[in-house]
Amino acid sequence: MQHMIAIEDALHRVWLSRDAQGYVLHLGAQQWPVALDGTALRVAGAASPVTIAVDGDRVYVHIDGAAHELVYQSPIAFHAAEAGGPAEDMVRAPMPGSVIATPVTAGDSVAAGDTLIVIESMKLETAVKAPRDGVVETVNFAVGQSFERDALLVTLASQEG
Amino acid sequence: MARITSQIDTGSDSFLANAAHNRGLAEELRRRQQDARFKRPQRDLDRLARQDKMFLRDRLEALLDPGTPFLELSTLAANMAYDGDVPGAGQMSGIGIVSGREVIIHADDASVKGGAWYPLSVKKIIRTLDIAIENRLPVIHLCDSAGGFLPLQRDLFADRYYAGRIFRNQSILSKMGVPQLSVVLGHCTAGGAYIPALSDYSVIVRGTGAIFLGGPPLVKAATGEEVTVEELGGADMHTSVSGTADYPAASEAHAFAIAREIVGQWTVADKTGIDWIEPEEPYYDPQELYGILPRDSRTVFDMRELIARIADGSRFHEYQPAYGTTLICGYARIWGYKVGILANNGVLFNDSSLKGAHFIQLCDKNRTPLLFLQNITGFMVGKEYERRGISKDGAKLIMAVSGASVPKFTINCNGAFGAGVYGMSGRAFDPRFMFTWPGAGTSVMGAEQAANVLSDIKIRQLAREGRSLSEEEIAAIREPVLEDYKREQSAYYATSELWDDGILDPVDTRNALGICISAALNAPIEQPHYGVFRL
């Protein structure tokens, strides 16, 4: 599996491997010998001066008179998002408690991570969040109502085709 | 170390005829390997596509580090069994690099009979895990199996080295501290359920992956309960309710991304240090191996010519060059690793056996792995040799081979016949890896001799009944025996039955050995200790 790097919003699959001479750049099915000698990037023998600045998963590369922003994409996050996230439609209570807020109602669109319902349990306030993007189908408890562990709190509209 | 001076005339008629013959054998090997890897009935490929499953070879691409070497083992397992319908025994086994770590991969091939386990599939999985145990190699299981092939269950279920051994080996690996990861890409039913359950880590694909002791039809038959695959053993149930699996994945690609990150967490074990220097390509072209190996395996040739085309720089330090000359012993390097080579240049006599036993102990004390290059027709027989103690000298060689603590590697280059195989680290002597070249035979005696012995017995039996046989009648007895023997001593039969870890194209031998030696050094090497040598 190759690394995924976004350059100006286009995704590229790349990998750097070793061989007897040095490094080989894989881009999809193509390969080139590459080397970084001081400030010169050498690709298949042709050298260009290059300036590189790294900031976490972002790399800024200045080469051939232009600056590019490269963003490393985690393959786990990429493939999870590509498949539309977990298929789970039912959001259940992680522990027994009572409802203290219901910020969404049936029909609302939510994004993964949005708060669906806020519960109080064991002296803690817990925001129960959307496991994926979707539309709320039902909110099964009102503020003040209590429930047992694994109670069905919120249902998202099924994505099954 | 001095370079071997080759005596081969690469322009001679016999060299060219040998080269044509052996290149043909190598091409046939490549074609058969290619077919075993890729050739499938269209309906099986269609079924995979319908199930939204990747083909095994694409799964490997997704799992392995790009641009790194991969050594597939026993590609042609079961090629002469089950009418040839179960390529690779429905399993893939191989050593590769994942997230920078050396691992061994075991994968069910769902494009072959739904990944069902035949008796030879079980043998191949057990061998894969034996390799993991002997070399302390982390294991990645790609699980996608219909379960045991029921019509042959008696040959795969109950015995010591049948299916239970897979789970026993998994448990032993865990006890040794060698990590295992299962990626559940299809169903793991019955015994198969224990593969992910006994792994330290498991990833399961939502929708296609499932783990259960009994599938929905069996549950219905047993208790009347009606249940879907997802409810019974799907990804969400096992990762959120039962805790049988660890990571749910939305797709196979997602599962491999997770798997690669898990492997990336494993601490890389320090390897056992042995003598190593920068590698050097052989001075003589390995392609010339084709011209050296004879067309008829009974034709004698000098094994130094093979060593010159496998060893780094074609350099070889020969030990006792003037004594016991039918067994060549000496030091060389393969991909920079120092090895002690034992290679047959004729039958084993008393002196060659003693030389071999002595050299093995030298290598063991010197922490030098052993490489056996087999071209063996046996120990010398006859009154004179028995009086000199050929059996007890052979026993010394076998004692040394069995007892050596350093890793052993065995290549059957041209022939492995008779008791000499025991002295040359045959399969039973636990070489870490063992390979066969395409033209090399394996049997207790050569086909011609066996046919003669068996027809002689028959002729004498009939003679006692007062009957004599015509030439045609003798041929009618002899020919079928000869045919059976030739078939069953071929490299393809040996590899079909997993008597080796695969057939190698001779020119690939140095690379394969490099990977094998590197893999073997994941395990520590014990101090030398031996049984009693009959002096």
Side-chain angles (χ1 to χ4, degrees):
Chain A
M1 182 174 286
Q2 297 184 336
H3 291 308
M4 281 173 286
I5 291 180
I7 306 176
E8 276 101 50
D9 294 333
L11 197 64
H12 301 274
R13 288 166 198 269
V14 295
W15 187 266
L16 207 54
S17 71
R18 289 286 302 273
D19 74 0
Q21 280 71 48
Y23 288 96
V24 177
L25 174 71
H26 300 241
L27 176 63
Q30 295 172 287
Q31 297 177 15
W32 295 276
V34 291
L36 192 58
D37 315 325
T39 58
L41 178 67
R42 198 176 289 279
V43 179
S48 312
V50 66
T51 310
I52 298 169
V54 180
D55 175 18
D57 285 346
R58 280 165 202 278
V59 180
Y60 300 92
V61 178
H62 191 276
I63 189 165
D64 296 336
H68 306 275
E69 183 190 30
L70 282 62
V71 183
Y72 176 75
Q73 171 85 55
S74 147
I76 293 183
F78 175 82
H79 287 295
E82 188 186 48
E88 193 59 77
D89 301 328
M90 315 220 231
V91 179
R92 294 180 183 277
M95 54 197 124
S98 60
V99 176
I100 57 172
T102 54
V104 298
T105 52
D108 287 358
S109 290
V110 293
D114 285 356
T115 299
L116 298 177
I117 196 164
V118 184
I119 61 173
E120 188 184 73
S121 177
M122 300 297 289
K123 302 189 279 288
L124 290 171
E125 223 176 78
T126 306
V128 179
K129 306 208 162 163
R132 59 169 171 83
D133 297 353
V135 175
V136 176
E137 193 166 80
T138 56
V139 178
N140 298 318
F141 292 87
V143 172
Q145 281 189 303
S146 60
F147 48 81
E148 290 303 307
R149 182 181 167 182
D150 286 336
L152 189 57
L153 299 176
V154 177
T155 314
L156 298 179
S158 170
Q159 290 182 318
E160 300 289 308
Chain B
M1 266 193 292
R3 180 172 292 151
I4 292 171
T5 305
S6 178
Q7 308 296 323
I8 294 287
D9 175 2
T10 55
S12 71
D13 288 346
S14 79
F15 183 92
L16 295 173
N18 288 345
H21 173 78
N22 287 303
R23 272 182 210 283
L25 293 183
E27 275 160 29
E28 185 195 358
L29 171 66
R30 285 186 188 281
R31 183 178 54 72
R32 291 173 76 154
Q33 286 181 331
Q34 189 74 3
D35 285 355
R37 287 175 185 139
F38 295 101
K39 197 170 163 192
R40 299 286 181 272
Q42 190 57 44
R43 63 168 195 280
D44 289 327
L45 297 174
D46 291 344
R47 195 187 61 242
L48 281 190
R50 244 190 349 264
Q51 293 173 334
D52 207 16
K53 286 183 180 175
M54 287 161 74
F55 185 53
L56 172 58
R57 302 288 153 176
D58 300 322
R59 288 174 172 171
L60 277 183
E61 286 282 317
L63 178 64
L64 293 164
D65 287 0
T68 53
F70 182 72
L71 176 64
E72 186 173 343
L73 304 170
S74 298
T75 311
L76 294 174
N79 78 90
M80 286 173 75
Y82 321 125
D83 300 323
D85 278 348
V86 190
Q91 300 291 319
M92 199 291 309
S93 168
I95 295 172
I97 311 289
V98 174
S99 296
R101 283 142 183 90
E102 239 168 34
V103 298
I104 190 160
I105 298 167
H106 145 239
D108 299 315
D109 187 345
S111 69
V112 178
K113 310 284 179 190
W117 289 357
Y118 283 68
L120 288 170
S121 321
V122 169
K123 194 172 184 184
K124 187 164 166 179
I125 301 170
I126 294 168
R127 172 61 191 155
T128 304
L129 296 177
D130 278 344
I131 291 171
I133 289 172
E134 288 170 8
N135 303 288
R136 299 190 71 99
L137 279 176
V139 184
I140 299 176
H141 302 272
L142 304 185
C143 308
D144 192 351
S145 167
F149 182 68
L150 294 177
L152 294 175
Q153 67 84 24
R154 65 164 195 203
D155 295 324
L156 65 80
F157 175 61
D159 205 358
R160 185 175 180 200
Y161 285 100
Y162 288 179
R165 194 77 183 183
I166 297 169
F167 314 120
R168 177 267 184 193
N169 277 359
Q170 283 193 272
S171 308
I172 296 300
L173 277 167
S174 183
K175 180 170 147 180
M176 290 167 66
V178 179
Q180 292 174 79
L181 161 67
S182 282
V183 187
V184 180
L185 302 155
H187 289 189
C188 293
T189 315
Y194 293 118
I195 288 194
L198 289 166
S199 294
D200 298 338
Y201 298 87
S202 59
V203 183
I204 179 167
V205 178
R206 187 175 290 122
T208 45
I211 305 169
F212 28 59
L213 282 186
L218 191 133
V219 169
K220 176 119 192 332
T223 66
E225 185 184 19
E226 295 209 26
V227 62
T228 67
V229 166
E230 282 294 304
E231 286 172 321
L232 186 64
D236 290 310
M237 197 288 283
H238 277 313
T239 56
S240 67
V241 179
S242 77
T244 303
D246 303 320
Y247 303 81
S251 64
E252 291 202 13
H254 188 207
F256 289 119
I258 297 170
R260 288 178 49 78
E261 198 161 299
I262 293 168
V263 175
Q265 310 312 310
W266 295 347
T267 303
V268 180
D270 287 338
K271 286 206 176 178
T272 301
I274 62 164
D275 186 341
W276 185 86
I277 60 168
E278 275 299 316
E280 185 186 359
E281 291 288 315
Y283 174 79
Y284 291 104
D285 186 352
Q287 295 283 333
E288 290 168 3
L289 287 168
Y290 296 130
I292 296 163
L293 290 168
R295 280 153 286 162
D296 181 336
S297 69
R298 289 170 300 182
T299 309
V300 172
F301 63 97
D302 188 348
M303 290 291 269
R304 288 179 194 84
E305 299 289 353
L306 301 191
I307 296 170
R309 285 152 184 92
I310 295 173
D312 285 17
S314 307
R315 296 175 195 284
F316 187 55
H317 170 90
E318 191 167 345
Y319 169 74
Q320 288 190 339
Y323 185 78
T325 52
T326 57
L327 183 67
I328 301 170
C329 297
Y331 295 105
R333 290 184 185 275
I334 307 275
W335 278 102
Y337 296 110
K338 169 81 67 64
V339 292
I341 297 179
L342 292 91
N344 305 110
N345 247 16
V347 295
L348 288 165
F349 290 100
N350 300 71
D351 53 0
S352 21
S353 304
L354 294 173
K355 172 179 167 184
H358 192 89
F359 183 67
I360 287 170
Q361 292 184 76
L362 291 177
C363 288
D364 209 3
K365 285 279 189 204
N366 201 43
R367 314 277 79 184
T368 301
L370 293 162
L371 172 60
F372 293 84
L373 300 177
Q374 294 178 333
N375 181 21
I376 179 68
T377 52
F379 288 101
M380 193 63 207
V381 295
K383 184 171 137 194
E384 169 67 17
Y385 299 97
E386 293 294 353
R387 286 178 64 84
R388 284 195 215 162
I390 186 71
S391 293
K392 79 171 186 178
D393 288 344
K396 291 187 191 85
L397 181 56
I398 292 170
M399 189 67 77
V401 166
S402 307
S405 300
V406 289
K408 301 180 293 237
F409 306 91
T410 303
I411 312 280
N412 178 1
C413 300
N414 190 53
F417 299 111
V421 174
Y422 307 146
M424 288 299 292
S425 191
R427 184 65 147 178
F429 295 83
D430 289 343
R432 297 290 182 91
F433 294 90
M434 153 127 205
F435 298 100
T436 309
W437 284 359
T442 304
S443 65
V444 71
M445 61 175 82
E448 303 282 341
Q449 298 93 312
N452 290 342
V453 169
L454 289 168
S455 44
D456 276 355
I457 292 170
K458 189 78 183 165
I459 291 162
R460 266 184 272 137
Q461 217 171 39
L462 291 169
R464 277 198 298 275
E465 294 164 16
R467 292 176 52 199
S468 68
L469 293 173
S470 68
E471 284 296 316
E472 290 80 39
E473 284 171 312
I474 291 171
I477 293 169
R478 198 173 170 277
E479 289 308 317
V481 176
L482 191 61
E483 280 311 303
D484 274 1
Y485 237 84
K486 278 188 171 161
R487 197 178 82 91
E488 292 177 5
Q489 75 174 27
S490 73
Y492 287 99
Y493 191 83
T495 209
S496 181
E497 294 292 315
L498 284 129
W499 297 344
D500 62 15
D501 296 310
I503 304 181
L504 279 182
D505 182 337
V507 301
D508 292 335
T509 303
R510 182 167 173 272
N511 283 347
L513 283 171
I515 294 174
C516 291
I517 297 168
S518 172
L521 296 176
N522 284 291
I525 301 174
E526 280 179 45
Q527 286 307 307
H529 56 289
Y530 290 91
V532 178
F533 289 93
R534 179 172 292 277
L535 301 171

